[in-house]
Amino acid sequence: MSGRGRSYRYVGPVELKAAVRPGDGGRRIVSAADFGGWIVEQSAAELAEPFTFVVGMDGVLRLAPRRSEHVACAGGAMVLSAGEISFMREADRWTVSEVSNQSTGYCPDVSSWAEVARALDDVELRRPSGFTHALLTLLDGQVQLGGEPTARPS
């Protein structure tokens, strides 16, 4: 894994993974320019909701509309993290306003934040210091809301 964190395989409904086709996957965001090109394509209605995200095994952020399945956003592959993410415009730049590890298909641990932070830093997005809404996966596979939200970006 070359210094990367824990990986997560898809554990959701098999029919959702079976529906993923070659070429499916969220938009790869590898630079600030990539993000800038992607964000201007989003409608006001889309920007009002969180987006689906994954961090692929290559450490690259992938984004898709909220109603997209994480497994489709990941192209069916394993991930380093997954969840939902929202953006807001602050002065002359975009920032991450909220981010969670909410993905019942991958169930990433809160420790996957390090991979999310790295992917956001790579594309020069201001971000919070941790998941603003963190879910904890329990040993029995159940998910619960974890801890207090972290501070928003300043």
Side-chain angles (χ1 to χ4, degrees):
M1 286 190 305
S2 67
R4 297 279 181 194
R6 175 181 169 194
S7 59
Y8 299 89
R9 66 180 175 80
Y10 181 70
V11 296
V14 294
E15 62 273 12
L16 294 179
K17 186 171 183 179
V20 177
R21 299 288 171 244
D24 283 356
R27 175 78 69 88
R28 285 175 46 90
I29 308 292
V30 297
S31 68
D34 285 345
F35 180 80
W38 175 83
I39 197 78
V40 298
E41 296 171 358
Q42 309 311 306
S43 69
E46 289 170 317
L47 289 170
E49 293 189 328
F51 293 91
T52 294
F53 83 86
V54 299
V55 177
M57 294 303 296
D58 55 2
V60 172
L61 178 68
R62 290 169 177 79
L63 297 169
R66 181 181 195 184
R67 287 165 182 76
S68 302
E69 294 292 336
H70 288 96
V71 69
C73 187
M78 293 179 70
V79 300
L80 296 172
S81 190
E84 295 187 347
I85 190 166
S86 296
F87 304 99
M88 68 181 194
R89 188 83 175 157
E90 272 187 356
D92 62 341
R93 66 185 292 182
W94 286 96
T95 65
V96 174
S97 56
E98 294 185 352
V99 59
S100 77
N101 62 329
Q102 183 175 342
S103 169
T104 57
Y106 286 100
C107 304
D109 187 74
V110 294
S111 64
S112 69
W113 170 253
E115 298 302 332
V116 177
R118 189 178 327 193
L120 294 171
D121 290 348
D122 286 350
V123 297
E124 302 172 24
L125 280 170
R126 183 177 292 154
R127 59 173 175 78
S129 59
F131 289 119
T132 56
H133 303 285
L135 299 174
L136 300 175
T137 303
L138 305 176
L139 291 177
D140 62 3
Q142 294 184 4
V143 175
Q144 72 179 30
L145 185 62
E148 293 294 320
T150 59
R152 302 222 188 281
S154 54

